[in-house]
Amino acid sequence: MLGRSRRKDLPELIPGYATHEATQAYADRSGLAESHYSDYGEEALKLSSIGLGTDHGEPTDDVDAGYREALAHGLQGGLNVIEAGLSYRYGRSARAAGAAIREAVASGVPREALFVVGKGGFLAFPDGPPDDLAAWFKEEILKKGMGTPDELAQGVHLLTPAYIAWQVEQTRQTLGVETLDAFLIDQSEVHIPELQTKEDLNGKLQKVYAVLEMMVQAGKLRSYGLATWKSCRVPTNDGLFQSLTSQVGVAEKAAGDPQGHHLRLVTMPYNVNMLEGFTRFNQATGQGNVASTVQAAYQLGLYFIATHALMGGQLVGEQPPILRQAMGDLRTNAQRALQFARSTPGVGTAMVSMARKDHMDEALELGRLPPMSRKAFLKMFEQAEDEAEEAEG
């Protein structure tokens, strides 16, 4: 399952992967603020504080075209983190992202300056939703040895080594790159209610991580991570909770070497209305303390990516008044929401989906400015607490 012949009608895969030298040169040339870039991993890759997501929008040609134009513009302008899942918009997002990557590289942006991320776990329907899901699953998954119906969670999520290996391979082909810089396992916690224990899930993940480690050795990806939805936002006694320390341990077992695993990232929804990643202390890191997920990621050497930075577009409309008070110099609500997410201490990149070039221009405009200082960021929380106390009094 680790290798497949490439269709002759598809363009050749772009060789290379992100390097310190290329990302540093990209950052230097971008004209954006130096502090707009964060260090990733031991290689100290320079990754933009605003990343390019592709998970929103209707599955139409117009949205595809919008993504291609906006993403290429962003990649050429200084936003070098791009992520696409095969399940997004029935594969259309990944195809649009691949076209944007090829356009950016053709324009002179080195492949080695870009951090290209895939995501998998949910069933991918490249031809649109099947009329008969059971029949489709039998033909496309069961007969190909990638999974059985009883291994599905919620009827749409499959966490088998064979299926994840297939998704990595398909993501490489669709995005058009020989090597993915990272691959994220999307919302593995959806399996917890259908398993006996979390240890059962960790057993499944260990097998998945093992095949991802094999793909790292094969040069098909450089690292992998966990994309969470609820599991890091809930209290430790919640049935869906996942421990980052535990996941590092699972990766160590999968690699067979405590120092040799390639688990490098964690993502979770984080924005001004979904603060748990910063405010909920639910992660024991083995460092003698209980930390927030953002803090725990830093202590464990994991790069933290904030997803849903605009809360699905909701924060473009209504947002807490404190953002305007603290960031009145910024031009739009979208910029204020992004500034909040990317300024949070410990957040490396804040992801946002943009399928319009003018929205990408807003993000690039923000990138020319530094994130808020730690002092200014924390002052917002102090002010919010003071206002709450006054209201109670």
Side-chain angles (χ1 to χ4, degrees):
M1 296 305 298
L2 296 188
R4 289 176 179 265
S5 60
R6 182 161 176 78
R7 279 172 40 193
K8 295 180 179 180
D9 60 327
L10 294 175
E12 289 298 313
L13 299 180
I14 303 169
Y17 49 81
T19 65
H20 168 73
E21 293 77 14
T23 55
Q24 181 68 68
Y26 175 91
D28 292 342
R29 290 194 304 266
S30 70
L32 304 187
E34 181 179 353
S35 54
H36 164 63
Y37 296 93
S38 299
D39 286 344
Y40 172 85
E42 295 179 357
E43 309 97 324
L45 306 181
K46 296 295 181 180
L47 303 191
S48 55
S49 65
I50 301 169
L52 308 178
T54 57
D55 57 329
H56 292 299
E58 295 297 318
T60 65
D61 292 344
D62 286 345
V63 175
D64 292 349
Y67 264 126
R68 287 195 298 271
E69 180 185 28
L71 293 172
H73 183 52
L75 293 172
Q76 293 170 46
L79 310 183
N80 67 340
V81 179
I82 183 168
E83 182 250 59
L86 290 179
S87 61
Y88 292 171
R89 301 175 55 253
Y90 307 117
R92 286 173 172 264
S93 287
R95 291 192 288 273
I101 290 168
R102 289 190 291 273
E103 181 177 333
V105 170
S107 75
V109 177
R111 162 63 185 97
E112 294 78 9
L114 306 179
F115 193 80
V116 181
V117 184
K119 181 186 282 188
F122 284 100
L123 295 180
F125 306 119
D127 300 318
D131 294 330
D132 186 337
L133 179 58
W136 176 92
F137 188 90
K138 181 178 180 180
E139 291 297 318
E140 299 297 327
I141 306 296
L142 181 64
K143 286 186 177 181
K144 296 177 181 179
M146 292 192 290
T148 61
D150 62 352
E151 292 176 302
L152 279 171
Q154 297 184 1
V156 292
H157 198 284
L158 187 60
L159 199 59
T160 65
Y163 188 62
I164 295 300
W166 178 86
Q167 288 206 321
V168 172
E169 185 62 29
Q170 289 300 117
T171 302
R172 289 173 59 244
Q173 303 289 336
T174 306
L175 293 180
V177 296
E178 280 190 359
T179 304
L180 295 170
D181 294 291
F183 188 84
L184 299 169
I185 302 301
D186 193 11
Q187 297 184 45
S188 64
E189 69 260 33
V190 301
H191 285 263
I192 294 175
E194 302 186 27
L195 297 171
Q196 295 296 318
T197 66
K198 290 181 188 177
E199 285 69 29
D200 292 332
L201 174 59
N202 285 343
K204 293 173 75 72
L205 284 171
Q206 183 176 331
K207 294 176 182 178
V208 167
Y209 291 171
V211 81
L212 293 177
E213 292 287 350
M214 291 172 62
M215 300 189 92
V216 170
Q217 297 305 317
K220 297 188 175 185
L221 68 151
R222 298 282 290 170
S223 63
Y224 57 93
L226 209 58
T228 72
W229 176 247
K230 287 185 177 179
S231 64
C232 290
R233 291 164 45 211
V234 296
T236 55
N237 61 354
D238 189 288
L240 292 179
F241 173 74
Q242 283 180 296
S243 159
L244 294 188
T245 304
S246 174
Q247 290 309 303
V248 170
V250 173
E252 290 174 350
K253 291 178 182 177
D257 178 0
Q259 306 301 320
H261 72 84
H262 293 82
L263 180 69
R264 297 283 188 271
L265 309 90
V266 62
T267 83
M268 67 181 290
Y270 176 76
N271 54 60
V272 70
N273 285 345
M274 303 171 77
L275 292 168
E276 295 93 344
F278 186 69
T279 61
R280 172 157 282 159
F281 287 69
N282 58 359
Q283 299 282 348
T285 64
Q287 313 253 345
N289 68 332
V290 177
S292 68
T293 301
V294 175
Q295 292 171 326
Y298 176 79
Q299 293 174 15
L300 295 168
L302 303 176
Y303 189 82
F304 186 96
I305 294 179
T307 61
H308 299 79
L310 299 185
M311 204 174 175
Q314 293 183 46
L315 292 173
V316 175
E318 295 185 17
Q319 57 185 211
I322 197 168
L323 291 191
R324 184 177 292 275
Q325 296 169 17
M327 310 174 207
D329 55 327
L330 296 181
R331 187 168 58 84
T332 69
N333 279 354
Q335 289 175 332
R336 283 184 277 272
L338 276 174
Q339 182 74 322
F340 177 90
R342 73 175 187 144
S343 298
T344 304
V347 170
T349 297
M351 299 297 294
V352 58
S353 295
M354 293 173 284
R356 285 173 41 180
K357 187 171 177 288
D358 58 327
H359 289 169
M360 195 66 69
D361 282 329
E362 280 186 62
L364 290 169
E365 180 182 314
L366 178 61
R368 298 186 185 98
L369 303 174
M372 299 174 72
S373 69
R374 181 184 181 88
K375 181 178 180 180
F377 179 84
L378 295 177
K379 186 177 180 180
M380 285 192 294
F381 284 83
E382 295 172 2
Q383 182 178 342
E385 289 177 0
D386 292 342
E387 292 177 355
E389 290 177 0
E390 289 179 7
E392 291 177 359

